[in-house]
PDB file of all heavy atoms in Angstrom:
ATOM      1  N   SER A   1     -51.816 -64.422-129.919  1.00 90.00           N
ATOM      2  CA  SER A   1     -51.569 -63.263-129.042  1.00 90.00           C
ATOM      3  C   SER A   1     -51.479 -63.605-127.624  1.00 90.00           C
ATOM      4  O   SER A   1     -50.631 -63.086-126.870  1.00 90.00           O
ATOM      5  CB  SER A   1     -52.624 -62.161-129.290  1.00 90.00           C
ATOM      6  OG  SER A   1     -52.485 -61.560-130.522  1.00 90.00           O
ATOM      7  N   VAL A   2     -52.311 -64.558-127.187  1.00 91.00           N
ATOM      8  CA  VAL A   2     -52.259 -65.012-125.806  1.00 91.00           C
ATOM      9  C   VAL A   2     -50.906 -65.699-125.602  1.00 91.00           C
ATOM     10  O   VAL A   2     -50.248 -65.525-124.524  1.00 91.00           O
ATOM     11  CB  VAL A   2     -53.440 -65.968-125.534  1.00 91.00           C
ATOM     12  CG1 VAL A   2     -53.289 -66.614-124.161  1.00 91.00           C
ATOM     13  CG2 VAL A   2     -54.744 -65.162-125.636  1.00 91.00           C
ATOM     14  N   ALA A   3     -50.481 -66.509-126.525  1.00 93.00           N
ATOM     15  CA  ALA A   3     -49.177 -67.192-126.414  1.00 93.00           C
ATOM     16  C   ALA A   3     -47.999 -66.200-126.329  1.00 93.00           C
ATOM     17  O   ALA A   3     -47.134 -66.369-125.546  1.00 93.00           O
ATOM     18  CB  ALA A   3     -48.986 -68.163-127.549  1.00 93.00           C
ATOM     19  N   VAL A   4     -48.085 -65.169-127.176  1.00 94.00           N
ATOM     20  CA  VAL A   4     -46.986 -64.182-127.163  1.00 94.00           C
ATOM     21  C   VAL A   4     -47.022 -63.375-125.825  1.00 94.00           C
ATOM     22  O   VAL A   4     -46.008 -63.072-125.260  1.00 94.00           O
ATOM     23  CB  VAL A   4     -47.153 -63.241-128.402  1.00 94.00           C
ATOM     24  CG1 VAL A   4     -46.220 -62.038-128.277  1.00 94.00           C
ATOM     25  CG2 VAL A   4     -46.859 -63.960-129.669  1.00 94.00           C
ATOM     26  N   GLY A   5     -48.218 -63.064-125.369  1.00 94.00           N
ATOM     27  CA  GLY A   5     -48.376 -62.371-124.109  1.00 94.00           C
ATOM     28  C   GLY A   5     -47.793 -63.172-122.921  1.00 94.00           C
ATOM     29  O   GLY A   5     -47.090 -62.682-122.068  1.00 94.00           O
ATOM     30  N   THR A   6     -48.063 -64.455-122.963  1.00 95.00           N
ATOM     31  CA  THR A   6     -47.524 -65.387-121.938  1.00 95.00           C
ATOM     32  C   THR A   6     -46.014 -65.430-122.030  1.00 95.00           C
ATOM     33  O   THR A   6     -45.301 -65.388-121.012  1.00 95.00           O
ATOM     34  CB  THR A   6     -48.112 -66.772-122.091  1.00 95.00           C
ATOM     35  OG1 THR A   6     -49.537 -66.694-122.013  1.00 95.00           O
ATOM     36  CG2 THR A   6     -47.605 -67.733-121.053  1.00 95.00           C
ATOM     37  N   GLY A   7     -45.482 -65.543-123.226  1.00 96.00           N
ATOM     38  CA  GLY A   7     -44.046 -65.504-123.407  1.00 96.00           C
ATOM     39  C   GLY A   7     -43.400 -64.184-122.937  1.00 96.00           C
ATOM     40  O   GLY A   7     -42.304 -64.177-122.349  1.00 96.00           O
ATOM     41  N   GLY A   8     -44.086 -63.056-123.190  1.00 96.00           N
ATOM     42  CA  GLY A   8     -43.610 -61.801-122.720  1.00 96.00           C
ATOM     43  C   GLY A   8     -43.539 -61.686-121.214  1.00 96.00           C
ATOM     44  O   GLY A   8     -42.586 -61.156-120.660  1.00 96.00           O
ATOM     45  N   VAL A   9     -44.574 -62.220-120.564  1.00 97.00           N
ATOM     46  CA  VAL A   9     -44.575 -62.203-119.087  1.00 97.00           C
ATOM     47  C   VAL A   9     -43.445 -63.066-118.583  1.00 97.00           C
ATOM     48  O   VAL A   9     -42.720 -62.677-117.660  1.00 97.00           O
ATOM     49  CB  VAL A   9     -45.941 -62.706-118.529  1.00 97.00           C
ATOM     50  CG1 VAL A   9     -45.872 -62.955-117.068  1.00 97.00           C
ATOM     51  CG2 VAL A   9     -47.019 -61.687-118.887  1.00 97.00           C
ATOM     52  N   MET A  10     -43.282 -64.265-119.172  1.00 97.00           N
ATOM     53  CA  MET A  10     -42.203 -65.144-118.669  1.00 97.00           C
ATOM     54  C   MET A  10     -40.851 -64.544-118.904  1.00 97.00           C
ATOM     55  O   MET A  10     -39.983 -64.611-118.057  1.00 97.00           O
ATOM     56  CB  MET A  10     -42.340 -66.512-119.408  1.00 97.00           C
ATOM     57  CG  MET A  10     -43.573 -67.295-118.984  1.00 97.00           C
ATOM     58  SD  MET A  10     -43.933 -68.764-119.979  1.00 97.00           S
ATOM     59  CE  MET A  10     -42.401 -69.539-120.198  1.00 97.00           C
ATOM     60  N   ALA A  11     -40.632 -63.892-120.043  1.00 96.00           N
ATOM     61  CA  ALA A  11     -39.346 -63.285-120.322  1.00 96.00           C
ATOM     62  C   ALA A  11     -39.081 -62.098-119.365  1.00 96.00           C
ATOM     63  O   ALA A  11     -37.976 -61.946-118.855  1.00 96.00           O
ATOM     64  CB  ALA A  11     -39.294 -62.801-121.784  1.00 96.00           C
ATOM     65  N   ALA A  12     -40.104 -61.302-119.109  1.00 96.00           N
ATOM     66  CA  ALA A  12     -39.934 -60.179-118.197  1.00 96.00           C
ATOM     67  C   ALA A  12     -39.638 -60.647-116.762  1.00 96.00           C
ATOM     68  O   ALA A  12     -38.793 -60.012-116.083  1.00 96.00           O
ATOM     69  CB  ALA A  12     -41.188 -59.296-118.243  1.00 96.00           C
ATOM     70  N   VAL A  13     -40.302 -61.669-116.321  1.00 97.00           N
ATOM     71  CA  VAL A  13     -40.040 -62.179-114.998  1.00 97.00           C
ATOM     72  C   VAL A  13     -38.625 -62.731-114.898  1.00 97.00           C
ATOM     73  O   VAL A  13     -37.945 -62.528-113.888  1.00 97.00           O
ATOM     74  CB  VAL A  13     -41.092 -63.262-114.624  1.00 97.00           C
ATOM     75  CG1 VAL A  13     -40.700 -64.045-113.390  1.00 97.00           C
ATOM     76  CG2 VAL A  13     -42.481 -62.620-114.480  1.00 97.00           C
ATOM     77  N   SER A  14     -38.205 -63.393-115.962  1.00 97.00           N
ATOM     78  CA  SER A  14     -36.830 -63.931-116.003  1.00 97.00           C
ATOM     79  C   SER A  14     -35.810 -62.822-115.921  1.00 97.00           C
ATOM     80  O   SER A  14     -34.829 -62.903-115.185  1.00 97.00           O
ATOM     81  CB  SER A  14     -36.631 -64.777-117.229  1.00 97.00           C
ATOM     82  OG  SER A  14     -35.326 -65.194-117.312  1.00 97.00           O
ATOM     83  N   VAL A  15     -36.018 -61.794-116.728  1.00 96.00           N
ATOM     84  CA  VAL A  15     -35.102 -60.640-116.706  1.00 96.00           C
ATOM     85  C   VAL A  15     -35.096 -59.928-115.361  1.00 96.00           C
ATOM     86  O   VAL A  15     -34.092 -59.562-114.820  1.00 96.00           O
ATOM     87  CB  VAL A  15     -35.433 -59.645-117.826  1.00 96.00           C
ATOM     88  CG1 VAL A  15     -34.760 -58.318-117.667  1.00 96.00           C
ATOM     89  CG2 VAL A  15     -35.120 -60.265-119.208  1.00 96.00           C
ATOM     90  N   ARG A  16     -36.283 -59.804-114.848  1.00 95.00           N
ATOM     91  CA  ARG A  16     -36.409 -59.140-113.503  1.00 95.00           C
ATOM     92  C   ARG A  16     -35.641 -59.882-112.401  1.00 95.00           C
ATOM     93  O   ARG A  16     -35.003 -59.286-111.550  1.00 95.00           O
ATOM     94  CB  ARG A  16     -37.914 -58.979-113.173  1.00 95.00           C
ATOM     95  CG  ARG A  16     -38.153 -58.211-111.925  1.00 95.00           C
ATOM     96  CD  ARG A  16     -39.663 -58.110-111.698  1.00 95.00           C
ATOM     97  NE  ARG A  16     -39.880 -57.229-110.548  1.00 95.00           N
ATOM     98  CZ  ARG A  16     -40.602 -56.157-110.593  1.00 95.00           C
ATOM     99  NH1 ARG A  16     -41.147 -55.782-111.713  1.00 95.00           N
ATOM    100  NH2 ARG A  16     -40.795 -55.443-109.525  1.00 95.00           N
ATOM    101  N   ARG A  17     -35.730 -61.253-112.431  1.00 95.00           N
ATOM    102  CA  ARG A  17     -35.015 -62.007-111.414  1.00 95.00           C
ATOM    103  C   ARG A  17     -33.519 -61.905-111.604  1.00 95.00           C
ATOM    104  O   ARG A  17     -32.765 -62.016-110.665  1.00 95.00           O
ATOM    105  CB  ARG A  17     -35.482 -63.504-111.525  1.00 95.00           C
ATOM    106  CG  ARG A  17     -36.838 -63.704-110.971  1.00 95.00           C
ATOM    107  CD  ARG A  17     -37.163 -65.149-110.981  1.00 95.00           C
ATOM    108  NE  ARG A  17     -38.499 -65.360-110.481  1.00 95.00           N
ATOM    109  CZ  ARG A  17     -39.218 -66.451-110.668  1.00 95.00           C
ATOM    110  NH1 ARG A  17     -38.724 -67.451-111.377  1.00 95.00           N
ATOM    111  NH2 ARG A  17     -40.445 -66.558-110.185  1.00 95.00           N
ATOM    112  N   ARG A  18     -33.080 -61.743-112.824  1.00 95.00           N
ATOM    113  CA  ARG A  18     -31.642 -61.669-113.134  1.00 95.00           C
ATOM    114  C   ARG A  18     -31.026 -60.387-112.588  1.00 95.00           C
ATOM    115  O   ARG A  18     -29.918 -60.409-112.068  1.00 95.00           O
ATOM    116  CB  ARG A  18     -31.424 -61.814-114.690  1.00 95.00           C
ATOM    117  CG  ARG A  18     -30.058 -61.629-115.129  1.00 95.00           C
ATOM    118  CD  ARG A  18     -29.254 -62.925-115.074  1.00 95.00           C
ATOM    119  NE  ARG A  18     -27.995 -62.778-115.740  1.00 95.00           N
ATOM    120  CZ  ARG A  18     -26.816 -62.629-115.068  1.00 95.00           C
ATOM    121  NH1 ARG A  18     -26.792 -62.627-113.795  1.00 95.00           N
ATOM    122  NH2 ARG A  18     -25.730 -62.505-115.741  1.00 95.00           N
ATOM    123  N   TRP A  19     -31.726 -59.319-112.783  1.00 93.00           N
ATOM    124  CA  TRP A  19     -31.241 -57.991-112.357  1.00 93.00           C
ATOM    125  C   TRP A  19     -32.150 -57.341-111.315  1.00 93.00           C
ATOM    126  O   TRP A  19     -32.818 -56.362-111.554  1.00 93.00           O
ATOM    127  CB  TRP A  19     -31.102 -57.038-113.566  1.00 93.00           C
ATOM    128  CG  TRP A  19     -29.989 -57.433-114.496  1.00 93.00           C
ATOM    129  CD1 TRP A  19     -28.705 -57.217-114.266  1.00 93.00           C
ATOM    130  CD2 TRP A  19     -30.105 -58.073-115.746  1.00 93.00           C
ATOM    131  NE1 TRP A  19     -27.977 -57.747-115.356  1.00 93.00           N
ATOM    132  CE2 TRP A  19     -28.823 -58.250-116.237  1.00 93.00           C
ATOM    133  CE3 TRP A  19     -31.222 -58.552-116.478  1.00 93.00           C
ATOM    134  CZ2 TRP A  19     -28.608 -58.829-117.455  1.00 93.00           C
ATOM    135  CZ3 TRP A  19     -30.977 -59.145-117.723  1.00 93.00           C
ATOM    136  CH2 TRP A  19     -29.679 -59.283-118.187  1.00 93.00           C
ATOM    137  N   LEU A  20     -32.161 -57.987-110.149  1.00 89.00           N
ATOM    138  CA  LEU A  20     -33.050 -57.545-109.054  1.00 89.00           C
ATOM    139  C   LEU A  20     -32.764 -56.098-108.577  1.00 89.00           C
ATOM    140  O   LEU A  20     -33.678 -55.410-108.148  1.00 89.00           O
ATOM    141  CB  LEU A  20     -32.929 -58.500-107.898  1.00 89.00           C
ATOM    142  CG  LEU A  20     -33.663 -59.850-108.033  1.00 89.00           C
ATOM    143  CD1 LEU A  20     -33.311 -60.708-106.834  1.00 89.00           C
ATOM    144  CD2 LEU A  20     -35.139 -59.604-108.129  1.00 89.00           C
ATOM    145  N   ARG A  21     -31.560 -55.702-108.590  1.00 92.00           N
ATOM    146  CA  ARG A  21     -31.167 -54.428-107.952  1.00 92.00           C
ATOM    147  C   ARG A  21     -31.366 -53.239-108.872  1.00 92.00           C
ATOM    148  O   ARG A  21     -31.305 -52.113-108.362  1.00 92.00           O
ATOM    149  CB  ARG A  21     -29.724 -54.519-107.497  1.00 92.00           C
ATOM    150  CG  ARG A  21     -29.539 -55.554-106.425  1.00 92.00           C
ATOM    151  CD  ARG A  21     -28.142 -55.642-106.026  1.00 92.00           C
ATOM    152  NE  ARG A  21     -27.927 -56.852-105.220  1.00 92.00           N
ATOM    153  CZ  ARG A  21     -27.601 -56.842-103.959  1.00 92.00           C
ATOM    154  NH1 ARG A  21     -27.362 -55.695-103.362  1.00 92.00           N
ATOM    155  NH2 ARG A  21     -27.443 -57.956-103.276  1.00 92.00           N
ATOM    156  N   SER A  22     -31.598 -53.419-110.126  1.00 92.00           N
ATOM    157  CA  SER A  22     -31.724 -52.292-111.067  1.00 92.00           C
ATOM    158  C   SER A  22     -33.186 -51.760-111.038  1.00 92.00           C
ATOM    159  O   SER A  22     -34.124 -52.462-111.356  1.00 92.00           O
ATOM    160  CB  SER A  22     -31.403 -52.729-112.467  1.00 92.00           C
ATOM    161  OG  SER A  22     -31.684 -51.677-113.409  1.00 92.00           O
ATOM    162  N   LEU A  23     -33.308 -50.496-110.650  1.00 91.00           N
ATOM    163  CA  LEU A  23     -34.650 -49.856-110.602  1.00 91.00           C
ATOM    164  C   LEU A  23     -35.264 -49.792-111.989  1.00 91.00           C
ATOM    165  O   LEU A  23     -36.467 -50.083-112.143  1.00 91.00           O
ATOM    166  CB  LEU A  23     -34.531 -48.456-109.964  1.00 91.00           C
ATOM    167  CG  LEU A  23     -35.832 -47.698-109.933  1.00 91.00           C
ATOM    168  CD1 LEU A  23     -36.869 -48.428-109.058  1.00 91.00           C
ATOM    169  CD2 LEU A  23     -35.624 -46.299-109.362  1.00 91.00           C
ATOM    170  N   ARG A  24     -34.458 -49.426-112.969  1.00 92.00           N
ATOM    171  CA  ARG A  24     -34.986 -49.307-114.351  1.00 92.00           C
ATOM    172  C   ARG A  24     -35.504 -50.636-114.826  1.00 92.00           C
ATOM    173  O   ARG A  24     -36.567 -50.723-115.475  1.00 92.00           O
ATOM    174  CB  ARG A  24     -33.969 -48.721-115.291  1.00 92.00           C
ATOM    175  CG  ARG A  24     -34.537 -48.579-116.684  1.00 92.00           C
ATOM    176  CD  ARG A  24     -33.656 -47.743-117.567  1.00 92.00           C
ATOM    177  NE  ARG A  24     -33.590 -46.391-117.091  1.00 92.00           N
ATOM    178  CZ  ARG A  24     -32.578 -45.568-117.309  1.00 92.00           C
ATOM    179  NH1 ARG A  24     -31.596 -45.962-118.072  1.00 92.00           N
ATOM    180  NH2 ARG A  24     -32.540 -44.369-116.848  1.00 92.00           N
ATOM    181  N   VAL A  25     -34.743 -51.707-114.539  1.00 94.00           N
ATOM    182  CA  VAL A  25     -35.215 -53.044-114.983  1.00 94.00           C
ATOM    183  C   VAL A  25     -36.522 -53.413-114.322  1.00 94.00           C
ATOM    184  O   VAL A  25     -37.440 -53.896-114.961  1.00 94.00           O
ATOM    185  CB  VAL A  25     -34.126 -54.116-114.720  1.00 94.00           C
ATOM    186  CG1 VAL A  25     -34.680 -55.525-114.911  1.00 94.00           C
ATOM    187  CG2 VAL A  25     -32.969 -53.907-115.635  1.00 94.00           C
ATOM    188  N   ARG A  26     -36.652 -53.100-113.034  1.00 94.00           N
ATOM    189  CA  ARG A  26     -37.895 -53.364-112.347  1.00 94.00           C
ATOM    190  C   ARG A  26     -39.052 -52.599-112.913  1.00 94.00           C
ATOM    191  O   ARG A  26     -40.171 -53.129-113.033  1.00 94.00           O
ATOM    192  CB  ARG A  26     -37.749 -53.100-110.844  1.00 94.00           C
ATOM    193  CG  ARG A  26     -36.930 -54.174-110.103  1.00 94.00           C
ATOM    194  CD  ARG A  26     -36.912 -53.918-108.664  1.00 94.00           C
ATOM    195  NE  ARG A  26     -36.149 -52.674-108.394  1.00 94.00           N
ATOM    196  CZ  ARG A  26     -36.040 -52.095-107.245  1.00 94.00           C
ATOM    197  NH1 ARG A  26     -36.596 -52.628-106.158  1.00 94.00           N
ATOM    198  NH2 ARG A  26     -35.363 -50.996-107.100  1.00 94.00           N
ATOM    199  N   VAL A  27     -38.800 -51.310-113.201  1.00 94.00           N
ATOM    200  CA  VAL A  27     -39.900 -50.468-113.758  1.00 94.00           C
ATOM    201  C   VAL A  27     -40.317 -50.937-115.159  1.00 94.00           C
ATOM    202  O   VAL A  27     -41.519 -51.092-115.451  1.00 94.00           O
ATOM    203  CB  VAL A  27     -39.417 -48.975-113.776  1.00 94.00           C
ATOM    204  CG1 VAL A  27     -40.397 -48.156-114.543  1.00 94.00           C
ATOM    205  CG2 VAL A  27     -39.277 -48.471-112.352  1.00 94.00           C
ATOM    206  N   VAL A  28     -39.333 -51.224-116.007  1.00 95.00           N
ATOM    207  CA  VAL A  28     -39.657 -51.634-117.376  1.00 95.00           C
ATOM    208  C   VAL A  28     -40.315 -53.033-117.385  1.00 95.00           C
ATOM    209  O   VAL A  28     -41.265 -53.230-118.106  1.00 95.00           O
ATOM    210  CB  VAL A  28     -38.388 -51.599-118.222  1.00 95.00           C
ATOM    211  CG1 VAL A  28     -38.613 -52.290-119.571  1.00 95.00           C
ATOM    212  CG2 VAL A  28     -37.935 -50.159-118.423  1.00 95.00           C
ATOM    213  N   THR A  29     -39.794 -53.922-116.582  1.00 96.00           N
ATOM    214  CA  THR A  29     -40.410 -55.283-116.563  1.00 96.00           C
ATOM    215  C   THR A  29     -41.823 -55.244-115.984  1.00 96.00           C
ATOM    216  O   THR A  29     -42.649 -56.017-116.366  1.00 96.00           O
ATOM    217  CB  THR A  29     -39.523 -56.302-115.808  1.00 96.00           C
ATOM    218  OG1 THR A  29     -39.226 -55.805-114.491  1.00 96.00           O
ATOM    219  CG2 THR A  29     -38.270 -56.618-116.571  1.00 96.00           C
ATOM    220  N   THR A  30     -42.059 -54.347-115.034  1.00 96.00           N
ATOM    221  CA  THR A  30     -43.419 -54.173-114.547  1.00 96.00           C
ATOM    222  C   THR A  30     -44.349 -53.742-115.641  1.00 96.00           C
ATOM    223  O   THR A  30     -45.488 -54.233-115.757  1.00 96.00           O
ATOM    224  CB  THR A  30     -43.427 -53.198-113.363  1.00 96.00           C
ATOM    225  OG1 THR A  30     -42.665 -53.719-112.303  1.00 96.00           O
ATOM    226  CG2 THR A  30     -44.875 -52.967-112.859  1.00 96.00           C
ATOM    227  N   ALA A  31     -43.887 -52.790-116.466  1.00 96.00           N
ATOM    228  CA  ALA A  31     -44.688 -52.302-117.611  1.00 96.00           C
ATOM    229  C   ALA A  31     -44.936 -53.442-118.587  1.00 96.00           C
ATOM    230  O   ALA A  31     -46.084 -53.578-119.088  1.00 96.00           O
ATOM    231  CB  ALA A  31     -43.971 -51.149-118.285  1.00 96.00           C
ATOM    232  N   VAL A  32     -43.914 -54.209-118.891  1.00 96.00           N
ATOM    233  CA  VAL A  32     -44.100 -55.340-119.819  1.00 96.00           C
ATOM    234  C   VAL A  32     -45.021 -56.399-119.250  1.00 96.00           C
ATOM    235  O   VAL A  32     -45.951 -56.852-119.978  1.00 96.00           O
ATOM    236  CB  VAL A  32     -42.722 -55.966-120.191  1.00 96.00           C
ATOM    237  CG1 VAL A  32     -42.918 -57.262-120.966  1.00 96.00           C
ATOM    238  CG2 VAL A  32     -41.869 -54.953-120.976  1.00 96.00           C
ATOM    239  N   ILE A  33     -44.863 -56.707-117.995  1.00 97.00           N
ATOM    240  CA  ILE A  33     -45.747 -57.752-117.370  1.00 97.00           C
ATOM    241  C   ILE A  33     -47.167 -57.301-117.348  1.00 97.00           C
ATOM    242  O   ILE A  33     -48.103 -58.029-117.689  1.00 97.00           O
ATOM    243  CB  ILE A  33     -45.228 -58.085-115.958  1.00 97.00           C
ATOM    244  CG1 ILE A  33     -43.893 -58.825-116.024  1.00 97.00           C
ATOM    245  CG2 ILE A  33     -46.273 -58.874-115.170  1.00 97.00           C
ATOM    246  CD1 ILE A  33     -43.156 -58.930-114.730  1.00 97.00           C
ATOM    247  N   THR A  34     -47.385 -56.033-116.970  1.00 97.00           N
ATOM    248  CA  THR A  34     -48.762 -55.525-116.894  1.00 97.00           C
ATOM    249  C   THR A  34     -49.406 -55.493-118.254  1.00 97.00           C
ATOM    250  O   THR A  34     -50.568 -55.837-118.453  1.00 97.00           O
ATOM    251  CB  THR A  34     -48.714 -54.122-116.285  1.00 97.00           C
ATOM    252  OG1 THR A  34     -48.093 -54.177-115.016  1.00 97.00           O
ATOM    253  CG2 THR A  34     -50.115 -53.551-116.120  1.00 97.00           C
ATOM    254  N   THR A  35     -48.639 -54.979-119.266  1.00 97.00           N
ATOM    255  CA  THR A  35     -49.188 -54.872-120.616  1.00 97.00           C
ATOM    256  C   THR A  35     -49.498 -56.234-121.217  1.00 97.00           C
ATOM    257  O   THR A  35     -50.598 -56.477-121.743  1.00 97.00           O
ATOM    258  CB  THR A  35     -48.229 -54.096-121.549  1.00 97.00           C
ATOM    259  OG1 THR A  35     -47.965 -52.814-120.980  1.00 97.00           O
ATOM    260  CG2 THR A  35     -48.830 -53.923-122.904  1.00 97.00           C
ATOM    261  N   CYS A  36     -48.546 -57.139-121.149  1.00 96.00           N
ATOM    262  CA  CYS A  36     -48.732 -58.445-121.696  1.00 96.00           C
ATOM    263  C   CYS A  36     -49.845 -59.211-120.999  1.00 96.00           C
ATOM    264  O   CYS A  36     -50.676 -59.911-121.628  1.00 96.00           O
ATOM    265  CB  CYS A  36     -47.435 -59.280-121.679  1.00 96.00           C
ATOM    266  SG  CYS A  36     -46.197 -58.718-122.829  1.00 96.00           S
ATOM    267  N   SER A  37     -49.917 -59.139-119.712  1.00 96.00           N
ATOM    268  CA  SER A  37     -50.926 -59.827-118.929  1.00 96.00           C
ATOM    269  C   SER A  37     -52.328 -59.237-119.244  1.00 96.00           C
ATOM    270  O   SER A  37     -53.279 -60.023-119.513  1.00 96.00           O
ATOM    271  CB  SER A  37     -50.712 -59.687-117.424  1.00 96.00           C
ATOM    272  OG  SER A  37     -49.518 -60.236-117.038  1.00 96.00           O
ATOM    273  N   GLY A  38     -52.490 -57.937-119.268  1.00 95.00           N
ATOM    274  CA  GLY A  38     -53.750 -57.335-119.548  1.00 95.00           C
ATOM    275  C   GLY A  38     -54.250 -57.588-120.967  1.00 95.00           C
ATOM    276  O   GLY A  38     -55.401 -57.994-121.099  1.00 95.00           O
ATOM    277  N   LEU A  39     -53.382 -57.402-121.961  1.00 94.00           N
ATOM    278  CA  LEU A  39     -53.809 -57.684-123.316  1.00 94.00           C
ATOM    279  C   LEU A  39     -54.043 -59.171-123.537  1.00 94.00           C
ATOM    280  O   LEU A  39     -54.957 -59.542-124.259  1.00 94.00           O
ATOM    281  CB  LEU A  39     -52.730 -57.154-124.295  1.00 94.00           C
ATOM    282  CG  LEU A  39     -52.702 -55.606-124.402  1.00 94.00           C
ATOM    283  CD1 LEU A  39     -51.553 -55.222-125.294  1.00 94.00           C
ATOM    284  CD2 LEU A  39     -54.004 -55.051-124.910  1.00 94.00           C
ATOM    285  N   GLY A  40     -53.183 -60.004-122.963  1.00 92.00           N
ATOM    286  CA  GLY A  40     -53.394 -61.453-123.080  1.00 92.00           C
ATOM    287  C   GLY A  40     -54.711 -61.903-122.538  1.00 92.00           C
ATOM    288  O   GLY A  40     -55.427 -62.687-123.112  1.00 92.00           O
ATOM    289  N   ALA A  41     -55.024 -61.374-121.317  1.00 93.00           N
ATOM    290  CA  ALA A  41     -56.345 -61.757-120.719  1.00 93.00           C
ATOM    291  C   ALA A  41     -57.513 -61.218-121.538  1.00 93.00           C
ATOM    292  O   ALA A  41     -58.495 -61.986-121.767  1.00 93.00           O
ATOM    293  CB  ALA A  41     -56.383 -61.141-119.279  1.00 93.00           C
ATOM    294  N   LEU A  42     -57.410 -59.988-121.974  1.00 93.00           N
ATOM    295  CA  LEU A  42     -58.476 -59.421-122.821  1.00 93.00           C
ATOM    296  C   LEU A  42     -58.663 -60.239-124.109  1.00 93.00           C
ATOM    297  O   LEU A  42     -59.783 -60.563-124.505  1.00 93.00           O
ATOM    298  CB  LEU A  42     -58.147 -57.985-123.183  1.00 93.00           C
ATOM    299  CG  LEU A  42     -59.171 -57.223-123.980  1.00 93.00           C
ATOM    300  CD1 LEU A  42     -60.505 -57.089-123.257  1.00 93.00           C
ATOM    301  CD2 LEU A  42     -58.633 -55.831-124.345  1.00 93.00           C
ATOM    302  N   LEU A  43     -57.577 -60.571-124.765  1.00 91.00           N
ATOM    303  CA  LEU A  43     -57.674 -61.310-126.012  1.00 91.00           C
ATOM    304  C   LEU A  43     -58.106 -62.763-125.814  1.00 91.00           C
ATOM    305  O   LEU A  43     -58.796 -63.351-126.686  1.00 91.00           O
ATOM    306  CB  LEU A  43     -56.369 -61.258-126.785  1.00 91.00           C
ATOM    307  CG  LEU A  43     -56.053 -59.882-127.381  1.00 91.00           C
ATOM    308  CD1 LEU A  43     -54.648 -59.809-127.900  1.00 91.00           C
ATOM    309  CD2 LEU A  43     -57.023 -59.570-128.468  1.00 91.00           C
ATOM    310  N   SER A  44     -57.811 -63.340-124.649  1.00 90.00           N
ATOM    311  CA  SER A  44     -58.307 -64.695-124.364  1.00 90.00           C
ATOM    312  C   SER A  44     -59.817 -64.695-124.158  1.00 90.00           C
ATOM    313  O   SER A  44     -60.478 -65.615-124.599  1.00 90.00           O
ATOM    314  CB  SER A  44     -57.597 -65.285-123.220  1.00 90.00           C
ATOM    315  OG  SER A  44     -57.843 -64.589-122.010  1.00 90.00           O
ATOM    316  N   VAL A  45     -60.341 -63.686-123.559  1.00 91.00           N
ATOM    317  CA  VAL A  45     -61.765 -63.517-123.418  1.00 91.00           C
ATOM    318  C   VAL A  45     -62.419 -63.371-124.768  1.00 91.00           C
ATOM    319  O   VAL A  45     -63.457 -63.930-125.100  1.00 91.00           O
ATOM    320  CB  VAL A  45     -62.140 -62.309-122.494  1.00 91.00           C
ATOM    321  CG1 VAL A  45     -63.604 -62.036-122.484  1.00 91.00           C
ATOM    322  CG2 VAL A  45     -61.724 -62.666-121.030  1.00 91.00           C
ATOM    323  N   VAL A  46     -61.821 -62.476-125.597  1.00 87.00           N
ATOM    324  CA  VAL A  46     -62.396 -62.273-126.965  1.00 87.00           C
ATOM    325  C   VAL A  46     -62.346 -63.569-127.768  1.00 87.00           C
ATOM    326  O   VAL A  46     -63.290 -63.906-128.455  1.00 87.00           O
ATOM    327  CB  VAL A  46     -61.616 -61.110-127.687  1.00 87.00           C
ATOM    328  CG1 VAL A  46     -61.962 -61.096-129.148  1.00 87.00           C
ATOM    329  CG2 VAL A  46     -61.862 -59.803-127.002  1.00 87.00           C
ATOM    330  N   ALA A  47     -61.246 -64.323-127.678  1.00 86.00           N
ATOM    331  CA  ALA A  47     -61.151 -65.607-128.364  1.00 86.00           C
ATOM    332  C   ALA A  47     -62.231 -66.572-127.906  1.00 86.00           C
ATOM    333  O   ALA A  47     -62.813 -67.308-128.669  1.00 86.00           O
ATOM    334  CB  ALA A  47     -59.777 -66.133-128.253  1.00 86.00           C
TER     335      ALA A  47
END
């Protein structure tokens, strides 16, 4: 799960850089980055 969360963050950052001007992309990638980072951090502590 930590690996998948890291991959999700990397993918979202990559998509965000590709489409900088799209508000929807920024909002959605922020949601993905926040969710993946938070759950990844929580699960790494649990592990």
Side-chain angles (χ1 to χ4, degrees):
S1 289
V2 173
V4 170
T6 303
V9 169
M10 291 170 43
V13 168
S14 176
V15 168
R16 187 180 183 120
R17 286 184 181 162
R18 174 87 170 103
W19 289 285
L20 283 174
R21 296 177 192 245
S22 172
L23 177 62
R24 183 169 294 156
V25 168
R26 285 185 294 176
V27 169
V28 169
T29 54
T30 299
V32 171
I33 291 167
T34 304
T35 303
C36 289
S37 298
L39 289 175
L42 180 65
L43 289 169
S44 64
V45 169
V46 169

